[in-house]
Amino acid sequence: MQLKIYNSLAGEKEIFKPILEGNVGMYVCGPTVYSNVHLGNVRTFLSFDFIYRSLMHLGYKVRYVRNITDAGHLTDDGDVNNDRFVKQTRLEKLEPMEIVQKYTVDFHKVLDMFNLLPPNIEPTATGHIVEQIELTQKLIERGFAYESNGSVYFDVLEYNRRGLNYGELSKRNIEELFANTRDLDGQGEKKNPQDFALWKRASPAHIMRWNSPWGEGFPGWHLECTAMSTKYLGETFDIHGGGMDLKFPHHECEIAQGKACNDASPVNYWMHANMLTMNSQRMSKSTGNYILPMQLVTGENDFFEKPFHPSIVRFCFLQAHYRSVLDISNDAMIASEKGYTRLMEAIKVLNSITPNDEKQSGFSLEEWKNKAYDALTDDFNSPVLIAHLFEAVKYIFALNDGKETISTKDLEELKSTLNALVFDVLGLQTIEENNNEKLDQTLKVLIELRNQARKSKNFELSDQIRDKLLAEGIELKDGRDGTSYVLN
């Protein structure tokens, strides 16, 4: 079977041909760790986790690199006070690296909860300042960048003068880009409005700063990914992934930097995951249509009628193709829970099926497998793959009811294939409901004992119950509606 991947650069599906046969180099833009990872981010990283798992299942040896942006995040090259790290350090009154550590831990914790595999390499921007300075120097030497007032900018007009095409990924016309650019603070340092920062001079108040040939400053956002991806995957590698929102300008700038430095396109296949909406509206803190991943799992929100296990959330996400907009709602989550439960029940039932080698089945296992793998190799089409899994589910329940038969050989192959696709490729996990129910009942008893102690003004016992639970990773939260708990 030939793997086909939708290449955003070409705007169509292409047969995947890795640079080195049997090997894949894949880079995915990671989080900027200045706040809690939001549900839309989880959808993107989960999509590429599914792609990573699929590639390995199909027999490829994958080097998966996903970075951590921890050196500031200035997206408009303007006022350095717009840097998201600067804003957050002031808001929380913490050192920048305390912010980085706090939200990197949160990022890993959330991704572990949804059963995402860690990448092979997870480099940080602050760990690659030297490489970013070297790339900037190379671009200056090659005439693609210039220094201005302690900052260094990439010369987009010069890039296009040399027959290269800034805008090739996003299909934007450079003349239109120049005409439509709004004035920005700091724009006066640039030759052209579309030039982007490779290195920014740090103001006296800017906290994150490093020495460079142009004075103290910090790297541009776009340069970080070029430095880290090429260091670990080479000047040209197979796959670069990220959210649809990164296509322009971030990935466009990465292409320009790579071509200007190395006279070669840095990536053969660009892949972009689409956005997540909730109740048919864009998720936004300003509108209140917003929920954190942990709130969906614990049920502490005003949008969903109950908590949902991370594996059910994962199953819901994978029912939409990674290039499609995914809308979540209470009804969608309830439907996903029912589908997930039926799938897991079928896997359990399959283990109790007795084979029959004398009768021929009306279900063609080989044909079913071919359809399942056709979906997997057709740009990682998870919803079609899941639809084929439910064809097998229907067959399994027919076996259980005595309406169908299966040979010993086919039974073992069906078990093996189904387990591989459900657990290894889709990354779903079983839910130990009984243990969760027992834990819930036990905690209710402890919460009641604590409430009684507080009423009796036995605050020593009340605090002791709270502190001992916290030490075990269970945080009690007191509110107007009573006391709830969160598993940390």
Side-chain angles (χ1 to χ4, degrees):
M1 294 182 182
Q2 288 186 315
L3 173 61
K4 296 183 290 292
I5 292 177
Y6 184 89
N7 189 349
S8 297
L9 190 60
E12 61 183 7
K13 291 179 190 176
E14 296 179 335
I15 294 173
F16 180 61
K17 296 178 181 177
I19 296 168
L20 183 62
E21 188 175 352
N23 293 263
V24 178
M26 182 170 77
Y27 183 90
V28 173
C29 290
T32 304
V33 284
Y34 67 92
S35 65
N36 296 107
V37 59
H38 63 73
L39 206 55
N41 292 143
V42 172
R43 195 263 167 122
T44 296
F45 298 127
L46 195 151
S47 294
F48 285 101
D49 178 71
F50 168 62
I51 290 166
Y52 176 39
R53 288 169 175 272
S54 299
L55 288 167
M56 290 192 294
H57 182 70
L58 293 170
Y60 291 101
K61 182 180 180 182
V62 186
R63 175 177 286 178
Y64 176 20
V65 182
R66 187 185 66 212
N67 74 298
I68 296 283
T69 293
D70 63 344
H73 192 81
L74 186 67
T75 57
D76 63 9
D77 296 341
D79 184 357
V80 293
N81 289 318
N82 289 331
D83 187 305
R84 293 171 181 176
F85 278 93
V86 172
K87 287 182 176 180
Q88 200 65 25
T89 55
R90 291 172 179 168
L91 184 66
E92 298 196 36
K93 295 182 172 59
L94 295 172
E95 286 293 323
M97 281 301 141
E98 286 182 290
I99 294 290
V100 166
Q101 179 68 9
K102 176 180 177 179
Y103 293 114
T104 300
V105 168
D106 171 74
F107 173 70
H108 289 144
K109 182 176 166 184
V110 169
L111 265 55
D112 285 346
M113 182 173 67
F114 290 105
N115 196 32
L116 272 70
L117 299 174
N120 302 109
I121 303 172
E122 193 173 53
T124 63
T126 54
H128 295 79
I129 298 295
V130 170
E131 289 85 352
Q132 292 171 79
I133 290 173
E134 288 173 351
L135 277 176
T136 303
Q137 288 175 312
K138 187 174 181 180
L139 288 168
I140 291 174
E141 290 166 5
R142 302 197 77 182
F144 286 104
Y146 57 91
E147 186 270 340
S148 176
N149 194 28
S151 295
V152 181
Y153 295 96
F154 187 94
D155 193 332
V156 171
L157 199 56
E158 177 61 27
Y159 180 79
N160 274 47
R161 279 199 196 104
R162 300 196 196 183
L164 299 165
N165 180 18
Y166 183 80
E168 61 182 303
L169 178 65
S170 56
K171 310 296 186 284
R172 301 191 183 200
N173 182 290
I174 191 168
E175 298 302 328
E176 292 176 3
L177 291 175
F178 274 60
N180 296 331
T181 301
R182 62 186 175 87
D183 291 330
L184 297 169
D185 182 24
Q187 188 73 59
E189 294 181 349
K190 300 181 181 183
K191 291 181 181 178
N192 317 298
Q194 285 301 324
D195 294 351
F196 56 89
L198 300 170
W199 186 266
K200 282 292 290 184
R201 178 178 63 86
S203 68
H206 201 276
I207 309 171
M208 303 183 85
R209 56 204 299 140
W210 291 266
N211 289 322
S212 79
W214 317 284
E216 286 192 338
F218 55 96
W221 174 39
H222 312 304
L223 190 65
E224 297 171 1
C225 284
T226 294
M228 290 182 276
S229 63
T230 54
K231 175 167 183 174
Y232 297 107
L233 297 174
E235 293 178 356
T236 300
F237 54 94
D238 297 300
I239 297 172
H240 193 313
M244 195 74 75
D245 58 318
L246 298 180
K247 187 182 288 188
F248 185 88
H250 186 51
H251 291 163
E252 199 76 71
C253 294
E254 283 191 65
I255 291 174
Q257 290 166 166
K259 284 189 172 182
C261 267
N262 304 312
D263 298 319
S265 183
V267 178
N268 288 341
Y269 301 86
W270 286 90
M271 300 180 71
H272 292 94
N274 217 322
M275 66 185 296
L276 177 74
T277 59
M278 186 166 68
N279 297 319
S280 302
Q281 296 180 356
R282 183 172 181 173
M283 292 184 69
S284 168
K285 284 183 179 179
S286 60
T287 63
N289 192 55
Y290 183 81
I291 184 174
L292 287 171
M294 194 66 77
Q295 292 172 321
L296 181 57
V297 172
T298 62
E300 294 182 353
N301 64 82
D302 298 323
F303 299 100
F304 298 88
E305 66 182 65
K306 55 180 289 187
F308 292 97
H309 189 277
S311 219
I312 293 169
V313 178
R314 184 179 179 108
F315 182 66
C316 178
F317 282 11
L318 290 170
Q319 288 183 88
H321 191 270
Y322 76 89
R323 285 192 290 113
S324 301
V325 174
L326 169 65
D327 184 64
I328 60 166
S329 64
N330 188 69
D331 288 346
M333 289 304 305
I334 293 294
S336 293
E337 185 175 52
K338 289 178 180 177
Y340 167 88
T341 302
R342 184 165 174 81
L343 178 60
M344 291 301 164
E345 182 62 28
I347 291 172
K348 189 186 295 183
V349 165
L350 188 60
N351 292 322
S352 63
I353 296 295
T354 302
N356 186 334
D357 294 310
E358 295 179 2
K359 291 184 180 180
Q360 189 170 354
S361 171
F363 182 84
S364 172
L365 183 62
E366 184 178 359
E367 183 181 327
W368 172 78
K369 278 187 66 175
N370 286 339
K371 288 192 295 184
Y373 280 94
D374 280 345
L376 192 62
T377 56
D378 183 18
D379 193 32
F380 310 102
N381 200 324
S382 58
V384 174
L385 172 61
I386 289 170
H388 291 314
L389 292 180
F390 277 93
E391 290 176 15
V393 167
K394 185 178 179 182
Y395 173 53
I396 291 166
F397 284 115
L399 287 170
N400 192 50
D401 294 339
K403 297 175 183 177
E404 268 287 5
T405 59
I406 189 169
S407 68
T408 303
K409 179 175 176 290
D410 282 359
L411 178 60
E412 291 308 310
E413 189 170 356
L414 180 57
K415 284 181 182 178
S416 173
T417 305
L418 200 59
N419 277 283
L421 292 175
V422 170
F423 300 115
D424 297 341
V425 177
L426 293 178
L428 301 179
Q429 295 176 303
T430 56
I431 300 175
E432 299 296 334
E433 292 184 4
N434 291 336
N435 289 342
N436 287 346
E437 289 173 5
K438 287 179 181 177
L439 174 63
D440 191 54
Q441 292 301 321
T442 302
L443 287 172
K444 282 181 180 178
V445 171
L446 288 170
I447 288 170
E448 181 58 32
L449 289 172
R450 178 171 174 264
N451 288 339
Q452 290 176 7
R454 293 169 77 186
K455 286 179 183 178
S456 306
K457 296 186 179 182
N458 188 349
F459 298 115
E460 184 179 351
L461 177 59
S462 168
D463 292 346
Q464 191 176 19
I465 293 172
R466 180 200 62 201
D467 294 343
K468 283 188 176 294
L469 286 174
L470 187 60
E472 297 300 326
I474 302 166
E475 181 182 358
L476 297 184
K477 292 196 170 184
D478 297 316
R480 287 182 299 178
D481 299 325
T483 301
S484 60
Y485 69 88
V486 176
L487 301 179
N488 293 323

